[in-house]
């Protein structure tokens, strides 16, 4: 789900209309003999939850489990014919410890992770929600967490996000908290630079606590919450039974449950003074939403650009090149039109870094990007494949046309004066799409041709 789409869900939280209930028509479930025997024998199971994770779940003042996750799990339990008994806990750490000790058979609503795979089996995802980067208003846009140095990130302990941030971003200093609201509050109070949180949870906490000095500064698509029911390893049948129930939950049911917990409730009696106040508030909220949407549009454009752009050169990155290759293959299969690709590699580039330093190497790579932008055709797409390797995808181009373009580029490189090193050549490999090729096939041929050009003396064009 894109950031724009995800925020649209939160915009729905401003709705002043009553929301429909959850559809009650369950999909038919067929159990195996072993599963049915389990259900006949075990009528109820104990469940551990996060007691303070609004609006996903919490244990309220009356000791009841409530929230989006609570309703979804109960819906699944109804469908499979199980009774869920809540194990009261005060903290998430206490809940984890209870599950590991076998005091409960399942955990209600959590992400799968390598650490949790050691003691839990998981159902299919029951709910998805993107994780976003939350900072104070004055913080710059965050395109890549690896680009930050020494900044602190507040994270609730024992979560999937904590586990992955420690592994993927050692450049960040982790501050552990006991709850989601505490993580968001530390950022607002300048005790942490940022937090990475669920979009729904962050929006809920910001609105509830009035932390309007915060903003969404980026998104981590790879960290999207895939929330599941976790079942202890020694209950494989229970996991299979619950998984069948999860698969019956429709998108409409998920949406209705989510909306019920994040919507603003309005009293039904008529109070005209309250009505005028409400209209004034609604007008203010509308103005804020319009302003926020404009900022969000700019943020989304920047996110989209960064997601497909190589940070150093400004050319397209490998992810975008992969996408274009797949698109060109589908177009060729459908319409029978040719396309080719050129893979090029700077000759003896390692010597530039070794003799002149990495900054000089970066300047040379920037010059390569400039040459490719100036000397390829408007229909071509140039990108950085990796290191000192670059790729040019050439739509509507057969082998002969690609060889001509590659030779033109070779001469341009040979005659160009590069920063610091002055003279620099490149070797080129050309490949053209063949029927039944996958992306890896055409890239492998271009790569083989490139290495043949290297073996034959460099500064030349080869094809395969």
């Amino acid at each position: 789900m894109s950031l724009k789409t995800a925020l649209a869900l939160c915009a729905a939280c401003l709705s002043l209309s009553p929301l429909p209930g959850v559809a009650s028509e369950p999909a038919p479930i067929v159990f195996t003999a072993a599963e049915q025997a389990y259900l006949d024998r075990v009528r109820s199971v104990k469940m551990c939850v996060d007691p303070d994770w609004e609006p996903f779940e919490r244990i309220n003042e009356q000791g009841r489990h409530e929230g989006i996750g609570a309703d979804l799990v109960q819906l699944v339990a109804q469908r499979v014919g199980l009774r869920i008994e809540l194990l009261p806990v005060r903290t998430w750490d206490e809940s984890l410890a209870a599950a590991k000790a076998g005091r409960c058979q399942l955990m209600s609503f959590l992400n799968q992770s390598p650490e949790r795979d050691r003691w839990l089996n998981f159902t299919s995802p029951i709910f998805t929600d993107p994780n976003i980067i939350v900072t104070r208003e004055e913080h710059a846009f965050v395109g890549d967490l690896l680009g930050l140095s020494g900044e602190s990130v507040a994270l609730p302990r024992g979560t999937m996000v904590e586990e992955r941030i420690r592994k993927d971003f050692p450049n960040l200093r982790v501050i552990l908290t006991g709850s989601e609201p505490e993580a968001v509050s530390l950022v607002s109070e300048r005790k942490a630079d940022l937090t990475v949180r669920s979009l729904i949870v962050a929006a809920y906490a910001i609105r509830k606590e009035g932390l309007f000095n915060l903003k969404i500064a980026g998104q981590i698509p790879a960290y999207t919450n895939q929330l599941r029911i976790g079942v202890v390893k020694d209950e494989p049948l229970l996991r299979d039974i619950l998984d069948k129930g999860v698969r019956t939950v429709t998108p409409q049911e998920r949406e209705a449950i989510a909306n019920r917990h994040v919507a603003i409730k309005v009293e039904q009696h008529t109070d005209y003074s309250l009505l005028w106040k409400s209209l004034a508030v609604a007008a203010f909220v509308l103005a804020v939403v319009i302003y926020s949407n404009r900022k969000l549009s700019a943020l989304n454009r920047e996110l989209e650009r960064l997601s497909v752009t190589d940070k150093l050169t400004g050319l397209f990155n490998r992810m975008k090149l992969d996408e274009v290759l797949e698109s060109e293959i589908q177009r060729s299969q459908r319409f029978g039109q040719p396309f080719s690709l050129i893979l090029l590699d700077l000759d003896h580039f390692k010597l530039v870094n070794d003799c002149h330093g990495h900054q000089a190497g970066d300047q040379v790579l920037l010059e390569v990007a400039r040459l490719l932008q100036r000397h390829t055709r408007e229909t071509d797409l140039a990108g950085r494949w990796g290191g000192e390797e670059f790729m040019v995808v050439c739509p509507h181009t057969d082998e002969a046309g690609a060889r001509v373009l590659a030779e033109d580029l070779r001469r341009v490189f040979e005659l160009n004066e590069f920063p610091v090193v002055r003279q620099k050549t490149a070797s080129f490999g050309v490949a053209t799409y063949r029927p039944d090729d996958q992306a890896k096939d055409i890239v492998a041929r271009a790569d083989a041709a490139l290495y043949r050009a290297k073996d034959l003396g460099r500064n030349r064009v080869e094809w395969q």
Side-chain angles (χ1 to χ4, degrees):
M1 181 163 45
S2 70
L3 185 57
K4 186 173 183 179
T5 304
L7 278 173
L9 172 62
C10 286
C13 300
L14 297 172
S15 169
L16 297 178
S17 305
L19 289 157
V22 177
S24 59
E25 288 295 328
I29 300 177
V30 178
F31 296 111
T32 66
E35 290 166 351
Q36 189 59 57
Y38 181 96
L39 289 169
D40 293 340
R41 177 172 53 87
V42 179
R43 302 309 302 172
S44 67
V45 291
K46 289 274 189 183
M47 178 173 67
C48 290
V49 306
D50 188 331
D52 185 19
W53 195 22
E54 293 184 273
F56 283 151
E57 62 177 352
R58 72 164 188 149
I59 297 178
N60 66 18
E61 294 76 8
Q62 291 75 42
R64 290 194 293 270
H65 185 212
E66 64 180 16
I68 295 170
D71 287 359
L72 285 168
V73 172
Q74 287 300 332
L75 179 61
V76 169
Q78 264 182 7
R79 297 260 167 100
V80 301
L82 268 175
R83 188 163 65 88
I84 304 279
E85 295 181 13
L86 177 67
L87 182 72
V89 292
R90 290 167 298 177
T91 66
W92 175 237
D93 286 344
E94 187 181 333
S95 189
L96 288 171
K100 289 178 180 178
R103 293 170 53 207
C104 56
Q105 287 82 50
L106 62 93
M107 302 202 73
S108 60
F109 207 58
L110 74 173
N111 283 292
Q112 189 172 2
S113 73
E115 168 63 26
R116 292 168 180 172
D117 280 336
R118 294 193 293 188
W119 56 284
L120 290 173
N121 291 322
F122 290 88
T123 66
S124 305
I126 193 171
F127 195 82
T128 60
D129 180 47
N131 270 306
I132 56 169
I133 301 167
V134 177
T135 66
R136 289 183 298 280
E137 182 67 32
E138 67 271 16
H139 197 288
F141 173 82
V142 181
D144 183 357
L145 287 175
L146 283 173
L148 302 179
S149 178
E151 295 205 15
S152 57
V153 53
L155 301 170
R157 67 171 57 84
T159 60
M160 176 274 290
V161 173
E162 182 213 341
E163 187 178 327
R164 293 190 63 179
I165 288 284
R166 287 189 184 278
K167 176 176 176 291
D168 297 342
F169 302 105
N171 53 306
L172 297 177
R173 180 167 54 88
V174 175
I175 300 174
L176 291 179
T177 69
S179 68
E180 299 267 352
E182 184 184 353
V184 177
S185 293
L186 286 183
V187 179
S188 177
E189 295 163 8
R190 301 180 181 276
K191 295 176 182 176
D193 295 305
L194 59 108
T195 185
V196 178
R197 302 283 12 106
S198 145
L199 178 84
I200 288 179
V201 170
Y204 184 89
I206 289 168
R207 189 174 68 251
K208 181 179 178 183
E209 302 299 328
L211 306 177
F212 298 117
N213 63 333
L214 300 181
K215 71 173 183 180
I216 295 169
Q219 185 186 20
I220 313 180
Y223 280 27
T224 294
N225 290 302
Q226 300 277 346
L227 297 162
R228 309 164 189 261
I229 302 172
V231 183
V232 293
K233 286 277 190 183
D234 57 0
E235 293 278 9
L237 281 175
L238 176 58
R239 180 264 173 200
D240 293 345
I241 290 167
L242 291 171
D243 192 58
K244 287 183 175 179
V246 167
R247 292 176 185 276
T248 69
V249 181
T250 66
Q252 293 78 14
E253 288 170 329
R254 290 188 182 92
E255 183 179 354
I257 287 173
N259 285 344
R260 190 166 66 218
H261 286 280
V262 295
I264 297 172
K265 295 181 181 178
V266 180
E267 296 297 328
Q268 297 302 309
H269 65 275
T270 303
D271 182 336
Y272 290 103
S273 63
L274 180 60
L275 174 61
W276 287 113
K277 290 177 184 177
S278 298
L279 288 172
V281 170
F284 173 74
V285 168
L286 181 60
V288 170
V289 168
I290 292 171
Y291 172 72
S292 299
N293 281 343
R294 287 177 180 171
K295 290 183 68 176
L296 178 60
S297 295
L299 175 61
N300 280 329
R301 287 194 297 272
E302 181 66 5
L303 274 173
E304 184 176 358
R305 185 187 70 79
L306 287 170
S307 70
V308 298
T309 302
D310 175 62
K311 188 174 181 180
L312 172 65
T313 64
L315 295 177
F316 287 120
N317 60 17
R318 185 162 183 164
M319 183 176 75
K320 178 63 174 181
L321 290 168
D322 286 336
E323 178 186 313
V324 170
L325 281 174
E326 292 296 338
S327 175
E328 286 301 312
I329 287 172
Q330 291 177 18
R331 184 188 57 77
S332 290
Q333 289 173 344
R334 188 170 183 180
F335 301 109
Q337 296 176 340
F339 84 93
S340 300
L341 65 85
I342 302 169
L343 203 58
L344 62 117
D345 184 276
L346 287 173
D347 297 329
H348 302 297
F349 180 74
K350 185 175 184 298
L351 293 176
V352 179
N353 287 332
D354 291 346
C355 298
H356 303 283
H358 288 278
Q359 287 189 339
D362 288 350
Q363 290 182 54
V364 171
L365 293 176
L366 283 167
E367 179 67 7
V368 170
R370 187 186 69 82
L371 292 176
L372 290 176
Q373 288 170 330
R374 287 187 61 184
H375 295 281
T376 52
R377 303 163 302 184
E378 286 188 7
T379 53
D380 298 328
L381 185 142
R384 188 179 181 189
W385 188 244
E388 66 272 21
E389 282 192 341
F390 293 79
M391 180 183 285
V392 182
V393 181
C394 310
H396 309 287
T397 306
D398 59 14
E399 183 183 282
R403 286 165 54 184
V404 169
L405 175 59
E407 181 60 32
D408 289 343
L409 288 171
R410 186 198 66 78
R411 284 195 296 269
V412 166
F413 276 62
E414 185 179 44
L415 298 173
N416 187 67
E417 184 167 314
F418 285 83
V420 183
V421 297
R422 302 193 67 179
Q423 301 305 123
K424 205 74 198 145
T425 61
S427 300
F428 295 76
V430 174
T432 301
Y433 174 75
R434 297 173 184 171
D436 300 323
D437 263 353
Q438 295 182 30
K440 62 182 179 62
D441 301 320
I442 187 171
V443 170
R445 290 202 306 279
D447 197 48
L450 170 61
Y451 275 91
R452 188 163 64 249
K454 295 276 190 184
D455 292 341
L456 292 174
R458 295 182 169 83
N459 189 24
R460 60 186 293 135
V461 176
E462 291 294 324
W463 53 92
Q464 183 168 321

